Amino acid sequence: MSVLSLAIPSKGRLKEKSEAFLMEQGFEVRQIGGERGYQAEITGLGEVDMRLLSAREIAQGIIDGTIHAGVTGEDLLHDLAPTGPEDFHVAERLGFGGADVIVAVPQAWIDVDTMSDLEAAGAAFRKAHHRRLRVATKYMRLTRRFFAAKSVGEYRLVESAGATEAAPATGAADVIVDITSTGATLKANGLKIVSDGIILKSEAVLAVSANASWSPAALKSLSLLRGAAKIEKLLTLKNLNSHS
Ligand SMILES: Nc1ncnc2c1ncn2[C@@H]1O[C@H](COP(=O)(O)OP(=O)(O)OP(=O)(O)O)[C@@H](O)[C@H]1O
Ligand SMILES: O=P(O)(O)OC[C@H]1O[C@H](OP(=O)(O)OP(=O)(O)O)[C@H](O)[C@@H]1O
């Protein structure tokens, strides 16, 4: 990869604000083929391989090193990174796309207020029903890490493909881990947040790969992005050291 590969979301709630973040700095993204075209160009950053992808694909590409930099959600970066924050650098938190990744249980569970109550409920549940409590989520790694940090082991993960909040009502799971912003979806589904169950306060970030290979041209383009100059210095140093 000789030029900077830069990605922003192609649709969804982060798209317009990501374009605005670049536009504020004089870098205009032009989609080829109109609103739904997935190819794009950007002006002002030199030669750049501009990509429009889903927020999840951007996070994955930054972690794999197939994308140098991009705008995505911190929740996705933290969940998809196998070794955690060592796989990416946050150049700037962007002040939009804010939401919390939380643990929620049915409101009817009056005895469960904390993660430690959840562990106790899990043990009681296993005795009574001969199976573990099921936790539905898209956030498989974040959930495993957080439950282990809270010493909760009496559970089994069920991977959710969407509409996670419906899982307790449909019987697909008992507990959920999902993202919330207004809380309306949790409320509508009769769920409450466990008091010490806030896993991550996420927002949109400009993230830079710690695993990509960098050419001088890619580093130069990166350094022009707001918040990224300090990361560019770090990467240049790392590049020099690895070649010396
Ligand atoms: N209320 C919210 N619900 C979900 N995500 C939110 C919310 N508020 C902010 N976000 C952020 O937006 C990111 C992407 O969500 P968005 O809904 O735009 O993508 P998506 O179109 O659902 O992606 P995909 O279709 O690939 O699942 C989330 O990972 C999170 O960082
Ligand atoms: O706290 P709230 O403001 O209610 O927002 C939270 C909901 O928004 C998202 O779903 P979305 O509607 O984007 O659908 P998705 O499941 O396809 O992401 C997220 O998965 C939650 O379900």
Side-chain angles (χ1 to χ4, degrees), residues 183-236:
T185 312
L186 290 174
K187 198 170 164 214
N189 287 282
L191 301 172
K192 63 174 181 183
I193 301 176
V194 173
S195 62
D196 57 344
I198 297 176
I199 301 182
L200 182 74
K201 288 191 163 297
S202 174
E203 68 182 78
V205 293
L206 174 66
V208 179
S209 178
N211 300 323
S213 56
W214 293 86
S215 67
L219 285 168
K220 174 79 187 26
S221 298
L222 180 75
S223 71
L224 301 175
L225 288 169
R226 198 174 75 207
K230 58 182 187 291
I231 311 287
E232 184 263 330
K233 286 206 182 81
L234 199 110
L235 292 167
T236 306

CSV table of all heavy atoms in Angstrom, one decimal, residues 183-236:
chain,number,residue,atom,x,y,z
A,183,GLY,N,-31.9,5.3,25.3
A,183,GLY,CA,-32.5,4.3,26.3
A,183,GLY,C,-33.9,3.9,25.9
A,183,GLY,O,-34.5,3.0,26.5
A,184,ALA,N,-34.4,4.4,24.8
A,184,ALA,CA,-35.8,4.2,24.3
A,184,ALA,C,-36.0,2.7,24.0
A,184,ALA,O,-37.0,2.1,24.4
A,184,ALA,CB,-36.2,5.0,23.1
A,185,THR,N,-35.0,2.1,23.3
A,185,THR,CA,-35.2,0.7,22.9
A,185,THR,C,-35.2,-0.3,24.1
A,185,THR,O,-36.0,-1.2,24.2
A,185,THR,CB,-34.1,0.3,21.9
A,185,THR,OG1,-34.0,1.3,20.9
A,185,THR,CG2,-34.4,-1.1,21.3
A,186,LEU,N,-34.3,0.0,25.1
A,186,LEU,CA,-34.3,-0.8,26.4
A,186,LEU,C,-35.6,-0.7,27.1
A,186,LEU,O,-36.2,-1.7,27.4
A,186,LEU,CB,-33.2,-0.3,27.3
A,186,LEU,CG,-31.7,-0.5,26.9
A,186,LEU,CD1,-30.8,0.2,27.8
A,186,LEU,CD2,-31.5,-2.0,26.8
A,187,LYS,N,-36.1,0.5,27.2
A,187,LYS,CA,-37.4,0.8,27.9
A,187,LYS,C,-38.6,0.0,27.2
A,187,LYS,O,-39.4,-0.6,27.8
A,187,LYS,CB,-37.7,2.3,27.9
A,187,LYS,CG,-38.7,2.7,28.9
A,187,LYS,CD,-38.7,4.2,29.1
A,187,LYS,CE,-40.0,4.5,29.9
A,187,LYS,NZ,-40.6,5.8,29.4
A,188,ALA,N,-38.6,0.2,25.9
A,188,ALA,CA,-39.7,-0.4,25.1
A,188,ALA,C,-39.7,-1.9,25.2
A,188,ALA,O,-40.7,-2.6,25.0
A,188,ALA,CB,-39.6,0.0,23.6
A,189,ASN,N,-38.5,-2.5,25.6
A,189,ASN,CA,-38.4,-4.0,25.7
A,189,ASN,C,-38.3,-4.4,27.1
A,189,ASN,O,-37.9,-5.6,27.4
A,189,ASN,CB,-37.2,-4.5,24.9
A,189,ASN,CG,-37.5,-4.4,23.4
A,189,ASN,OD1,-38.2,-5.2,22.8
A,189,ASN,ND2,-37.0,-3.3,22.7
A,190,GLY,N,-38.7,-3.5,28.1
A,190,GLY,CA,-38.8,-3.9,29.5
A,190,GLY,C,-37.5,-4.3,30.1
A,190,GLY,O,-37.4,-5.2,30.9
A,191,LEU,N,-36.4,-3.6,29.7
A,191,LEU,CA,-35.0,-4.0,30.2
A,191,LEU,C,-34.5,-2.8,31.0
A,191,LEU,O,-34.8,-1.7,30.8
A,191,LEU,CB,-34.1,-4.3,29.0
A,191,LEU,CG,-34.5,-5.4,28.1
A,191,LEU,CD1,-33.6,-5.5,26.9
A,191,LEU,CD2,-34.5,-6.8,28.9
A,192,LYS,N,-33.6,-3.2,32.0
A,192,LYS,CA,-32.9,-2.1,32.8
A,192,LYS,C,-31.4,-2.4,32.7
A,192,LYS,O,-30.9,-3.5,32.6
A,192,LYS,CB,-33.4,-2.1,34.2
A,192,LYS,CG,-33.1,-3.4,34.9
A,192,LYS,CD,-33.5,-3.4,36.4
A,192,LYS,CE,-33.2,-4.7,37.1
A,192,LYS,NZ,-33.6,-4.8,38.5
A,193,ILE,N,-30.6,-1.3,32.8
A,193,ILE,CA,-29.2,-1.4,32.8
A,193,ILE,C,-28.7,-1.8,34.2
A,193,ILE,O,-29.1,-1.3,35.2
A,193,ILE,CB,-28.5,-0.1,32.4
A,193,ILE,CG1,-29.0,0.4,31.0
A,193,ILE,CG2,-27.0,-0.1,32.5
A,193,ILE,CD1,-28.5,1.8,30.6
A,194,VAL,N,-27.8,-2.8,34.3
A,194,VAL,CA,-27.2,-3.2,35.5
A,194,VAL,C,-26.3,-2.1,36.0
A,194,VAL,O,-25.6,-1.5,35.2
A,194,VAL,CB,-26.3,-4.5,35.3
A,194,VAL,CG1,-25.5,-4.9,36.5
A,194,VAL,CG2,-27.2,-5.6,34.8
A,195,SER,N,-26.4,-1.7,37.3
A,195,SER,CA,-25.8,-0.4,37.7
A,195,SER,C,-24.3,-0.3,37.5
A,195,SER,O,-23.8,0.8,37.1
A,195,SER,CB,-26.1,-0.1,39.2
A,195,SER,OG,-25.5,-1.2,40.0
A,196,ASP,N,-23.5,-1.4,37.6
A,196,ASP,CA,-22.1,-1.3,37.3
A,196,ASP,C,-21.8,-2.1,36.0
A,196,ASP,O,-20.8,-2.6,35.8
A,196,ASP,CB,-21.2,-1.8,38.4
A,196,ASP,CG,-21.5,-3.3,38.8
A,196,ASP,OD1,-22.6,-3.8,38.4
A,196,ASP,OD2,-20.7,-3.9,39.4
A,197,GLY,N,-22.8,-2.0,35.1
A,197,GLY,CA,-22.8,-2.7,33.8
A,197,GLY,C,-22.5,-1.9,32.6
A,197,GLY,O,-22.9,-2.2,31.5
A,198,ILE,N,-21.9,-0.7,32.8
A,198,ILE,CA,-21.5,0.1,31.6
A,198,ILE,C,-20.1,-0.3,31.2
A,198,ILE,O,-19.1,-0.1,31.9
A,198,ILE,CB,-21.6,1.6,31.9
A,198,ILE,CG1,-23.0,2.0,32.3
A,198,ILE,CG2,-21.1,2.4,30.7
A,198,ILE,CD1,-23.2,3.4,32.7
A,199,ILE,N,-20.1,-1.0,30.0
A,199,ILE,CA,-18.8,-1.6,29.5
A,199,ILE,C,-17.9,-0.6,28.9
A,199,ILE,O,-16.7,-0.5,29.1
A,199,ILE,CB,-19.1,-2.8,28.5
A,199,ILE,CG1,-20.0,-3.8,29.2
A,199,ILE,CG2,-17.9,-3.4,28.0
A,199,ILE,CD1,-20.4,-5.0,28.4
A,200,LEU,N,-18.5,0.3,28.1
A,200,LEU,CA,-17.7,1.3,27.4
A,200,LEU,C,-18.6,2.5,27.0
A,200,LEU,O,-19.7,2.3,26.6
A,200,LEU,CB,-17.3,0.6,26.1
A,200,LEU,CG,-16.4,1.4,25.1
A,200,LEU,CD1,-15.0,1.5,25.7
A,200,LEU,CD2,-16.3,0.7,23.8
A,201,LYS,N,-18.0,3.7,27.2
A,201,LYS,CA,-18.7,4.9,26.7
A,201,LYS,C,-18.1,5.2,25.3
A,201,LYS,O,-16.9,5.6,25.3
A,201,LYS,CB,-18.5,6.1,27.7
A,201,LYS,CG,-19.3,5.9,28.9
A,201,LYS,CD,-19.4,7.1,29.8
A,201,LYS,CE,-20.5,7.1,30.8
A,201,LYS,NZ,-21.8,7.1,30.3
A,202,SER,N,-18.8,4.9,24.3
A,202,SER,CA,-18.2,5.0,22.9
A,202,SER,C,-18.6,6.3,22.2
A,202,SER,O,-19.6,6.9,22.5
A,202,SER,CB,-18.8,3.8,22.1
A,202,SER,OG,-18.4,3.9,20.8
A,203,GLU,N,-17.7,6.7,21.3
A,203,GLU,CA,-18.1,7.8,20.3
A,203,GLU,C,-17.4,7.5,19.0
A,203,GLU,O,-16.5,6.6,19.0
A,203,GLU,CB,-17.9,9.2,20.9
A,203,GLU,CG,-16.5,9.6,21.1
A,203,GLU,CD,-16.5,11.1,21.7
A,203,GLU,OE1,-16.7,11.2,22.9
A,203,GLU,OE2,-16.2,12.0,20.9
A,204,ALA,N,-17.7,8.3,18.0
A,204,ALA,CA,-17.0,8.1,16.8
A,204,ALA,C,-15.6,8.7,16.9
A,204,ALA,O,-15.4,9.7,17.6
A,204,ALA,CB,-17.7,8.9,15.7
A,205,VAL,N,-14.6,8.0,16.3
A,205,VAL,CA,-13.2,8.5,16.4
A,205,VAL,C,-12.5,8.4,15.0
A,205,VAL,O,-13.0,7.7,14.1
A,205,VAL,CB,-12.4,7.6,17.4
A,205,VAL,CG1,-12.8,7.7,18.8
A,205,VAL,CG2,-12.4,6.1,16.9
A,206,LEU,N,-11.5,9.2,14.9
A,206,LEU,CA,-10.6,9.0,13.8
A,206,LEU,C,-9.5,8.1,14.3
A,206,LEU,O,-8.8,8.4,15.2
A,206,LEU,CB,-9.9,10.4,13.3
A,206,LEU,CG,-8.8,10.2,12.3
A,206,LEU,CD1,-9.4,9.7,11.0
A,206,LEU,CD2,-8.1,11.5,12.0
A,207,ALA,N,-9.5,6.9,13.7
A,207,ALA,CA,-8.6,5.8,14.2
A,207,ALA,C,-7.5,5.5,13.1
A,207,ALA,O,-7.8,5.7,11.9
A,207,ALA,CB,-9.4,4.6,14.5
A,208,VAL,N,-6.3,5.2,13.6
A,208,VAL,CA,-5.2,4.9,12.7
A,208,VAL,C,-4.7,3.5,13.0
A,208,VAL,O,-4.6,3.1,14.2
A,208,VAL,CB,-4.1,5.9,13.0
A,208,VAL,CG1,-2.9,5.6,12.1
A,208,VAL,CG2,-4.6,7.3,12.7
A,209,SER,N,-4.4,2.7,12.0
A,209,SER,CA,-4.0,1.4,12.2
A,209,SER,C,-2.6,1.3,12.8
A,209,SER,O,-1.7,2.0,12.5
A,209,SER,CB,-3.9,0.6,10.8
A,209,SER,OG,-3.5,-0.7,11.0
A,210,ALA,N,-2.4,0.3,13.8
A,210,ALA,CA,-1.1,0.1,14.3
A,210,ALA,C,-0.5,-1.1,13.6
A,210,ALA,O,0.6,-1.5,13.9
A,210,ALA,CB,-1.2,-0.3,15.8
A,211,ASN,N,-1.2,-1.7,12.7
A,211,ASN,CA,-0.7,-2.9,12.0
A,211,ASN,C,-0.5,-2.8,10.5
A,211,ASN,O,-0.2,-3.8,9.8
A,211,ASN,CB,-1.7,-4.1,12.2
A,211,ASN,CG,-1.9,-4.4,13.7
A,211,ASN,OD1,-0.9,-4.3,14.5
A,211,ASN,ND2,-3.1,-4.7,14.2
A,212,ALA,N,-0.7,-1.6,9.9
A,212,ALA,CA,-0.6,-1.4,8.5
A,212,ALA,C,0.9,-1.1,8.2
A,212,ALA,O,1.7,-0.7,9.1
A,212,ALA,CB,-1.4,-0.2,8.0
A,213,SER,N,1.3,-1.2,6.9
A,213,SER,CA,2.6,-0.8,6.5
A,213,SER,C,2.5,0.6,5.9
A,213,SER,O,1.4,1.0,5.3
A,213,SER,CB,3.3,-1.7,5.5
A,213,SER,OG,2.4,-1.9,4.4
A,214,TRP,N,3.5,1.5,6.1
A,214,TRP,CA,3.4,2.9,5.8
A,214,TRP,C,4.5,3.3,4.8
A,214,TRP,O,5.6,3.1,5.1
A,214,TRP,CB,3.5,3.7,7.1
A,214,TRP,CG,2.3,3.5,8.0
A,214,TRP,CD1,2.2,2.6,9.0
A,214,TRP,CD2,1.1,4.3,8.0
A,214,TRP,NE1,0.9,2.7,9.6
A,214,TRP,CE2,0.3,3.8,9.0
A,214,TRP,CE3,0.7,5.4,7.3
A,214,TRP,CZ2,-1.0,4.3,9.3
A,214,TRP,CZ3,-0.6,5.9,7.6
A,214,TRP,CH2,-1.4,5.4,8.6
A,215,SER,N,4.1,4.0,3.8
A,215,SER,CA,5.0,4.6,2.9
A,215,SER,C,5.2,6.1,3.3
A,215,SER,O,4.3,6.6,4.0
A,215,SER,CB,4.5,4.6,1.4
A,215,SER,OG,3.4,5.4,1.4
A,216,PRO,N,6.2,6.8,2.9
A,216,PRO,CA,6.4,8.2,3.2
A,216,PRO,C,5.1,9.0,2.7
A,216,PRO,O,4.6,9.9,3.4
A,216,PRO,CB,7.6,8.6,2.5
A,216,PRO,CG,8.5,7.4,2.4
A,216,PRO,CD,7.5,6.3,2.2
A,217,ALA,N,4.6,8.6,1.5
A,217,ALA,CA,3.5,9.4,1.0
A,217,ALA,C,2.2,9.2,1.9
A,217,ALA,O,1.5,10.1,2.1
A,217,ALA,CB,3.2,8.9,-0.4
A,218,ALA,N,2.0,8.0,2.3
A,218,ALA,CA,0.9,7.7,3.2
A,218,ALA,C,1.0,8.5,4.5
A,218,ALA,O,0.0,9.0,5.0
A,218,ALA,CB,0.7,6.2,3.5
A,219,LEU,N,2.2,8.5,5.1
A,219,LEU,CA,2.4,9.2,6.3
A,219,LEU,C,2.2,10.7,6.1
A,219,LEU,O,1.6,11.4,7.0
A,219,LEU,CB,3.8,8.9,6.8
A,219,LEU,CG,4.1,7.5,7.5
A,219,LEU,CD1,5.5,7.3,7.7
A,219,LEU,CD2,3.3,7.4,8.8
A,220,LYS,N,2.6,11.2,5.0
A,220,LYS,CA,2.5,12.7,4.7
A,220,LYS,C,1.0,13.0,4.7
A,220,LYS,O,0.5,14.0,5.3
A,220,LYS,CB,3.1,13.0,3.4
A,220,LYS,CG,3.0,14.4,2.8
A,220,LYS,CD,3.9,15.3,3.6
A,220,LYS,CE,3.8,16.8,3.4
A,220,LYS,NZ,2.7,17.4,3.0
A,221,SER,N,0.2,12.2,3.9
A,221,SER,CA,-1.3,12.5,3.9
A,221,SER,C,-1.9,12.4,5.3
A,221,SER,O,-2.7,13.2,5.6
A,221,SER,CB,-2.0,11.5,2.9
A,221,SER,OG,-1.5,11.6,1.6
A,222,LEU,N,-1.5,11.4,6.0
A,222,LEU,CA,-2.0,11.2,7.4
A,222,LEU,C,-1.8,12.4,8.2
A,222,LEU,O,-2.7,12.9,9.0
A,222,LEU,CB,-1.4,10.0,8.0
A,222,LEU,CG,-1.9,9.7,9.5
A,222,LEU,CD1,-3.3,9.1,9.4
A,222,LEU,CD2,-1.0,8.8,10.2
A,223,SER,N,-0.6,13.0,8.1
A,223,SER,CA,-0.2,14.1,9.0
A,223,SER,C,-1.1,15.3,8.7
A,223,SER,O,-1.1,16.2,9.6
A,223,SER,CB,1.3,14.5,8.8
A,223,SER,OG,1.4,15.1,7.5
A,224,LEU,N,-1.7,15.4,7.6
A,224,LEU,CA,-2.6,16.6,7.3
A,224,LEU,C,-4.0,16.5,8.0
A,224,LEU,O,-4.7,17.5,8.1
A,224,LEU,CB,-2.8,16.7,5.8
A,224,LEU,CG,-1.5,16.8,4.9
A,224,LEU,CD1,-1.8,16.8,3.4
A,224,LEU,CD2,-0.8,18.1,5.3
A,225,LEU,N,-4.3,15.3,8.5
A,225,LEU,CA,-5.6,15.2,9.1
A,225,LEU,C,-5.6,15.7,10.6
A,225,LEU,O,-4.6,15.4,11.3
A,225,LEU,CB,-6.0,13.7,9.1
A,225,LEU,CG,-6.4,13.1,7.8
A,225,LEU,CD1,-6.6,11.6,7.9
A,225,LEU,CD2,-7.8,13.7,7.3
A,226,ARG,N,-6.6,16.4,11.0
A,226,ARG,CA,-6.7,16.9,12.3
A,226,ARG,C,-6.6,15.8,13.4
A,226,ARG,O,-7.3,14.8,13.2
A,226,ARG,CB,-8.0,17.7,12.5
A,226,ARG,CG,-8.0,18.6,13.7
A,226,ARG,CD,-9.3,19.4,13.7
A,226,ARG,NE,-10.4,18.6,14.2
A,226,ARG,CZ,-11.6,18.8,13.9
A,226,ARG,NH1,-12.0,19.8,13.1
A,226,ARG,NH2,-12.6,18.0,14.4
A,227,GLY,N,-5.7,16.0,14.3
A,227,GLY,CA,-5.5,15.0,15.4
A,227,GLY,C,-4.5,13.9,15.0
A,227,GLY,O,-4.1,13.2,15.9
A,228,ALA,N,-4.1,13.8,13.7
A,228,ALA,CA,-3.3,12.6,13.4
A,228,ALA,C,-1.8,12.9,13.3
A,228,ALA,O,-1.0,12.0,13.2
A,228,ALA,CB,-3.8,12.1,12.0
A,229,ALA,N,-1.4,14.2,13.5
A,229,ALA,CA,0.0,14.5,13.4
A,229,ALA,C,0.8,13.8,14.4
A,229,ALA,O,1.9,13.3,14.1
A,229,ALA,CB,0.2,16.1,13.5
A,230,LYS,N,0.3,13.7,15.6
A,230,LYS,CA,1.0,13.0,16.7
A,230,LYS,C,1.2,11.5,16.4
A,230,LYS,O,2.2,11.0,16.7
A,230,LYS,CB,0.4,13.3,18.1
A,230,LYS,CG,-1.1,12.8,18.2
A,230,LYS,CD,-1.6,13.1,19.6
A,230,LYS,CE,-3.0,12.5,19.8
A,230,LYS,NZ,-4.1,13.2,19.0
A,231,ILE,N,0.2,11.0,15.8
A,231,ILE,CA,0.3,9.5,15.5
A,231,ILE,C,1.3,9.4,14.3
A,231,ILE,O,2.0,8.4,14.3
A,231,ILE,CB,-1.1,9.0,15.0
A,231,ILE,CG1,-2.2,9.4,16.0
A,231,ILE,CG2,-1.1,7.5,14.8
A,231,ILE,CD1,-2.2,8.6,17.3
A,232,GLU,N,1.3,10.3,13.4
A,232,GLU,CA,2.2,10.2,12.2
A,232,GLU,C,3.6,10.2,12.8
A,232,GLU,O,4.5,9.4,12.3
A,232,GLU,CB,2.0,11.4,11.3
A,232,GLU,CG,2.8,11.4,10.0
A,232,GLU,CD,4.0,12.3,10.2
A,232,GLU,OE1,4.0,13.3,10.9
A,232,GLU,OE2,5.1,11.9,9.5
A,233,LYS,N,3.9,11.1,13.8
A,233,LYS,CA,5.3,11.1,14.4
A,233,LYS,C,5.6,9.8,15.0
A,233,LYS,O,6.7,9.2,14.8
A,233,LYS,CB,5.3,12.2,15.5
A,233,LYS,CG,5.4,13.6,14.9
A,233,LYS,CD,6.0,14.6,15.8
A,233,LYS,CE,6.0,16.0,15.2
A,233,LYS,NZ,4.7,16.6,15.5
A,234,LEU,N,4.7,9.2,15.7
A,234,LEU,CA,4.9,7.9,16.4
A,234,LEU,C,5.2,6.8,15.4
A,234,LEU,O,6.1,6.0,15.5
A,234,LEU,CB,3.6,7.6,17.1
A,234,LEU,CG,3.6,6.6,18.2
A,234,LEU,CD1,3.4,7.4,19.5
A,234,LEU,CD2,2.4,5.6,18.0
A,235,LEU,N,4.4,6.8,14.3
A,235,LEU,CA,4.6,5.8,13.2
A,235,LEU,C,5.9,6.0,12.5
A,235,LEU,O,6.5,5.0,12.1
A,235,LEU,CB,3.4,5.8,12.3
A,235,LEU,CG,2.0,5.4,12.8
A,235,LEU,CD1,0.9,5.8,11.9
A,235,LEU,CD2,2.0,3.9,13.1
A,236,THR,N,6.3,7.2,12.2
A,236,THR,CA,7.5,7.5,11.5
A,236,THR,C,8.7,7.0,12.4
A,236,THR,O,9.6,6.3,11.9
A,236,THR,CB,7.7,9.0,11.3
A,236,THR,OG1,6.6,9.5,10.6
A,236,THR,CG2,8.9,9.3,10.5
